[in-house]
Amino acid sequence: MFHSCSERKIRILSLYLILSLSSSILVLASRVRHLCRPDQKDALWEFKREFYVHSNGIAADKKTEMWKNKTDCCSWDGVSCNPKTGQVVELLLRDSSLNGPLRSNSSLFRLQHLRSLDLSANNISGILPDSIGNLKYLRVLSLGDCNFFGNITSSLGNLSYLTNLDLSTNGFTGELPDSMGNLNQLSELHLKSNKLSGNFPSMLLNLSELTLIDFGFNQFEGMLPSNMSRFSNLVSFLMVGNSFSGSIPSSLFMLPSLGVLTLGRNEFSGPLDFGNITTQSSLGILSLLENNFNGPIPRSISKLVGLFYLDLSLWNTGRGVVDFSIFLHLKSLYFLDLSYLNTRSMVDISIFSPLMSLGYLDLSGINLKISSTLHFPPPLEILVLSSCNIAEFPKFLRKKAILYYLDISANQIKGQVPEWLWRLPELQYVNISQNSFHGFEGSVDVIQRSGKLILLDISSNNFQDPFPLLPNSTKFFLGSDNRYSGEIPRTICKLVSLDTLVLSNNNFNGSIPRCFENLNTTLSVLHLRDNSLSGTFPKESISDNLRSLDVGGNWLSGKLPESLINCTRLEFLNVEDNRINGTFPLWLRLLPNLQILVLRSNEFHGPIFSPTESLNFPKLRIFDISENRFTGVLPIDYFTGWSAMSSFVDVVEHIPDRYAGRDSGNYHNSVTMTAKGLKMELVGSGYTIYKTIDVSGNRFEGEIPESIALLKELIVLNMSNNVFKGRIPSSLSNLTNLQSLDLSRNRLSGEIPSELGKLTFLAWMNFSYNKLEGPIPQGTQFQSQDTSSFAENPGLCGVPLQETCGGKEEATNQEEDEDEEKEDKDQVFSWIAAVIGYVPGLVCGFTIAHILTSYKRDWFLKLFRSFC
Ligand SMILES: *[C@@H]1O[C@H](CO)[C@@H](O)[C@H](O)[C@H]1NC(C)=O
Ligand SMILES: *[C@@H]1O[C@H](CO)[C@@H](O)[C@H](O)[C@H]1NC(C)=O
Ligand SMILES: *[C@@H]1O[C@H](CO)[C@@H](O)[C@H](O)[C@H]1NC(C)=O
Ligand SMILES: *[C@@H]1O[C@H](CO)[C@@H](O)[C@H](O)[C@H]1NC(C)=O
Ligand SMILES: *[C@@H]1O[C@H](CO)[C@@H](O)[C@H](O)[C@H]1NC(C)=O
Ligand SMILES: *[C@@H]1O[C@H](CO)[C@@H](O)[C@H](O)[C@H]1NC(C)=O
Ligand SMILES: *[C@@H]1O[C@H](CO)[C@@H](O)[C@H](O)[C@H]1NC(C)=O
Ligand SMILES: *[C@@H]1O[C@H](CO)[C@@H](O)[C@H](O)[C@H]1NC(C)=O
Ligand SMILES: *[C@@H]1O[C@H](CO)[C@@H](O)[C@H](O)[C@H]1NC(C)=O
Ligand SMILES: *[C@@H]1O[C@H](CO)[C@@H](O)[C@H](O)[C@H]1NC(C)=O
Ligand SMILES: *[C@@H]1O[C@H](CO)[C@@H](O)[C@H](O)[C@H]1NC(C)=O
């Protein structure tokens, strides 16, 4: 797809060919006379034995396993020697299933003459030892994807012949060592996907041989140096996914060699100045998506005539006018993403007709005019026109013989989906969700003509029976929020590749088909919520492959099928609002990946623990068993072993590759939860941040188990409407992330522990209908509550209640002074509270970075990012 990329690949490929050729020549040579030097052989043999070889079931060539003690070590897999001296000069053990740390005394460091070392894609966890600096003749060092962590050792600066350094996809932290400024032969520096931080290292400016710098997906920040002209050989400058800010130095655009510039997902702002670029600019790829650019797109962009890939999505033109003709000079464009420019311009799509190479076009969020007689020659493969105010099915697509991805979701298209669409020979991904379609033109099997269809998203339309027959190739079918009725069509069971089936929010009735067992090996997402399905849950219908199961809001009865125990990948289980009965499914503890468990509003009963076996939910984030008939006293240690809620597990923010994402049917789970007295829906990765326990509306007795204080990451805790008694444990103050606490309608007594006044994020609380007494804790979060939060307790006193506690007036005055100081901060918190209560979408355009100053800022930013 990308010329320079594939060119590079070819270059690398030919390099490998040369290398492997030369090693086979060496092998030939070695047959003649034993090359291997004993000291080198010993070192290799010991090195081999430092690692445990294990591939985790994945196919990998275990090179070191093939080494034979009695043969010439220069002929061993992955080893090459200098034919004259017998010294090992190359050790290439990529993806060889090596497990174990690389110790500083490793015999590897006795291979002093290595010029090329590749240990990438092995599981060499631990720190990278300083001794690596001893291998002073290294030209190529590849340690990508090895699980290294810690700082990058400064001894790398001693490898003065180094031309290629690859440390990408590890856990390296901290700043780059200054000593790297000595690597003056360095040509490629790959550091992508680590946790490196600090400013752009200025010592790199001394390395004029650099052709590639890849810092993608790290935590670098600050401005780029303004004078980049010393990178006179730079071809690829890849900084996507960091926190760089300020303006992009125009000197970068003036580097004559620069071909690839990816600065997307940073915090760069304008003005964007392309400098005095001449027509020779060789820039082919420019990606600036998701930065903080404001105002008009500079016209001078039309000078970058070599561009074939341009991504400006989410550039904020401030509802301004965009002159789309500035892109017409870019005759080589293959990829153009202008989505969500926040413009009020209406554009006639025919303006892009002259771009004769255009294969990928994304104009989402722009008001489009598409004439029904439009002739549009560009050879489109991918077309994304989501939220473009389109009212008619774009007829010009009829001639798009190589179109394989079509997204015209979130428009106002009515009527039937045209029959010809399914004749497009390459069509694989179709998203026509959020329109007003009511049917498919042609016979019921019309879609089956589309022999390559993989994904079909028709959700949120007015589709009615008959339910279409789908082609065997279908992997993802999303049909929620339509008007299909009757039984779930059994024809679905014939789709032997089906991975995702979403039929929520229709009028299906009858039972869950037993024939789903035919999909036993493929189905991973099954969502049938909010229909009128009844009967018991057939245990045959559960695929062992399930990751996500949602059958909430039906009339299902009987027990939860125990065959779920075989779904070891299950992450999401929601059966709320049914009539499922039986005791608590203790066997769920055997599902190691369970993150979300919602049993709300069913007829479950009995205790939720077993005296013999402890519940360990290592990954559970949302536990909602409210509105059932559970009973019993919760053991004091009930919540031990709920690791995901008790320690900060960094949510691995999977940053979806925008194109890979196209292949994977990025369907999101959603979950409704009650927090702060409001119902809200969390969609997508939003819920992964939320850690919630809701056991309300049951008949739990006894005291609140102390172990709840272990769940330090908890954000919402609802234990209301039970018969808990005794005191509120003061250790609840350990839940420093808590934002919503509901203990109302129990039989709790004693005072509200004053320590709870320290919970600065606790924006909403309810203690009403208990037997609490004594003063309400001091702390602004408490004083700002509505009085109803404390109502119907016999002996509570103090602000915000009318009842004073007697003799504490002075203290209150002092508090007021303090209050004023804290006011700013509190405004922020209540603002956050308000926002969290609303539809998250509303805030996505907001820059909250400037408002939040507390140490929690990053945390909130994360929260908001994950919503948006
Ligand atoms: C392999 O050879 C090394 C010396 O090169 C020797 O120390 C070792 O014992 C040998 N191992 C086996 C299993 O023969
Ligand atoms: C290397 O050091 C480790 C401890 O750090 C030790 O256990 C091991 O025996 C040493 N190996 C050699 C070959 O000296
Ligand atoms: C790097 O070289 C410097 C100077 O030659 C030396 O002092 C230092 O010990 C070396 N570091 C390593 C790890 O080899
Ligand atoms: C660049 O190299 C020069 C000498 O070659 C040195 O004086 C300067 O400090 C280096 N700059 C950086 C940022 O390392
Ligand atoms: C940028 O650096 C180069 C080489 O170091 C120097 O020749 C040039 O004058 C500098 N340009 C500016 C604008 O500072
Ligand atoms: C660009 O060129 C103009 C005149 O051609 C000159 O005045 C200006 O300084 C140049 N800008 C840069 C950044 O080199
Ligand atoms: C789809 O697969 C079924 C069997 O699984 C087969 O009977 C049918 O002919 C296939 N349909 C097409 C169009 O290939
Ligand atoms: C549970 O469901 C079964 C099957 O629907 C029913 O026979 C039984 O009476 C139910 N039990 C309770 C306690 O509701
Ligand atoms: C889990 O799978 C095994 C093997 O397929 C099967 O024998 C067992 O009955 C299943 N367990 C349940 C509870 O369905
Ligand atoms: C289809 O488009 C809608 C609206 O743009 C989007 O929310 C949904 O995720 C898309 N479906 C798939 C499967 O990507
Ligand atoms: C609460 O935190 C304090 C101080 O960090 C600690 O001593 C105590 O053990 C914690 N309590 C519980 C129940 O975790």
Side-chain angles (χ1 to χ4, degrees), residues 22-38:
S22 58
S23 59
S24 41
I25 291 167
L26 291 169
V27 170
L28 281 178
S30 69
R31 296 259 157 77
V32 188
R33 56 189 167 95
H34 259 268
L35 266 179
C36 190
R37 271 175 35 173

Side-chain angles (χ1 to χ4, degrees), residues 334-397:
Y334 163 80
F335 178 111
L336 180 60
D337 191 340
L338 299 175
S339 57
Y340 303 106
L341 297 183
N342 189 19
T343 166
R344 62 189 150 88
S345 299
M346 158 84 102
V347 59
D348 189 331
I349 195 170
S350 66
I351 193 169
F352 298 104
S353 296
L355 298 175
M356 294 303 287
S357 305
L358 209 54
Y360 181 119
L361 180 62
D362 189 343
L363 298 174
S364 297
I366 296 174
N367 285 337
L368 273 192
K369 207 171 117 203
I370 305 179
S371 143
S372 58
T373 59
L374 170 69
H375 173 63
F376 195 73
L380 288 175
E381 292 165 37
I382 296 180
L383 180 64
V384 187
L385 304 176
S386 182
S387 308
C388 291
N389 266 317
I390 303 171
E392 253 185 77
F393 205 97
K395 292 203 177 55
F396 75 95
L397 295 177

Side-chain angles (χ1 to χ4, degrees), residues 263-556:
L263 304 175
R265 300 205 162 101
N266 277 287
E267 287 155 29
F268 287 113
S269 51
L272 185 57
D273 176 8
F274 295 111
N276 288 354
I277 22 171
T278 54
T279 42
Q280 304 98 296
S281 161
S282 47
L283 197 61
I285 296 182
L286 176 60
S287 172
L288 300 176
L289 83 154
E290 234 183 304
N291 276 288
N292 296 335
F293 293 112
N294 273 300
I297 297 167
R299 303 192 73 85
S300 51
I301 202 163
S302 61
K303 290 194 280 184
L304 301 170
V305 291
L307 282 183
F308 67 89
Y309 181 112
L310 177 61
D311 190 346
L312 298 178
S313 62
L314 290 157
W315 180 302
N316 185 0
T317 63
R319 307 276 314 138
V321 174
V322 176
D323 176 3
F324 290 92
S325 69
I326 58 178
F327 301 107
L328 297 185
H329 298 272
L330 311 178
K331 297 272 189 246
S332 314
L333 274 183
Y334 163 80
F335 178 111
L336 180 60
D337 191 340
L338 299 175
S339 57
Y340 303 106
L341 297 183
N342 189 19
T343 166
R344 62 189 150 88
S345 299
M346 158 84 102
V347 59
D348 189 331
I349 195 170
S350 66
I351 193 169
F352 298 104
S353 296
L355 298 175
M356 294 303 287
S357 305
L358 209 54
Y360 181 119
L361 180 62
D362 189 343
L363 298 174
S364 297
I366 296 174
N367 285 337
L368 273 192
K369 207 171 117 203
I370 305 179
S371 143
S372 58
T373 59
L374 170 69
H375 173 63
F376 195 73
L380 288 175
E381 292 165 37
I382 296 180
L383 180 64
V384 187
L385 304 176
S386 182
S387 308
C388 291
N389 266 317
I390 303 171
E392 253 185 77
F393 205 97
K395 292 203 177 55
F396 75 95
L397 295 177
R398 199 176 191 143
K399 302 220 178 88
K400 292 289 151 226
I402 56 172
L403 189 75
Y404 75 87
Y405 188 101
L406 175 65
D407 180 351
I408 48 170
S409 62
N411 284 294
Q412 287 107 42
I413 311 176
K414 289 193 271 295
Q416 294 190 317
V417 182
E419 197 175 344
W420 53 257
L421 181 67
W422 315 112
R423 287 205 205 98
L424 296 181
E426 296 298 329
L427 201 63
Q428 294 180 26
Y429 301 90
V430 177
N431 190 346
I432 53 174
S433 66
Q434 298 177 38
N435 279 288
S436 305
F437 290 109
H438 64 74
F440 296 95
E441 191 180 274
S443 55
V444 71
D445 62 352
V446 65
I447 303 179
Q448 285 186 326
R449 265 181 231 158
S450 189
K452 293 189 176 170
L453 195 71
I454 290 176
L455 180 147
L456 180 57
D457 187 346
I458 63 166
S459 40
S460 303
N461 277 286
N462 298 320
F463 283 104
Q464 327 173 359
D465 302 328
F467 192 84
L469 293 173
L470 299 166
N472 284 351
S473 54
T474 314
K475 278 189 173 173
F476 308 96
F477 181 76
L478 302 104
S480 60
D481 298 273
N482 279 296
R483 299 201 210 147
Y484 288 117
S485 59
E487 296 220 310
I488 291 177
R490 279 19 184 192
T491 52
I492 287 174
C493 301
K494 296 198 177 133
L495 303 175
V496 290
S497 305
L498 200 63
D499 170 282
T500 297
L501 178 63
V502 181
L503 298 174
S504 303
N505 261 303
N506 279 284
N507 299 317
F508 287 113
N509 55 33
S511 56
I512 296 178
R514 267 168 211 276
C515 70
F516 277 166
E517 73 181 302
N518 296 349
L519 308 175
N520 195 15
T521 53
T522 60
L523 204 60
S524 76
V525 177
L526 177 61
H527 286 199
L528 304 173
R529 65 174 298 118
D530 295 326
N531 280 290
S532 304
L533 300 171
S534 56
T536 57
F537 206 130
K539 65 177 193 304
E540 300 83 0
S541 66
I542 304 284
S543 152
D544 292 354
N545 214 24
L546 275 184
R547 251 186 316 113
S548 178
L549 176 64
D550 187 350
V551 293
N554 283 291
W555 302 99
L556 298 172

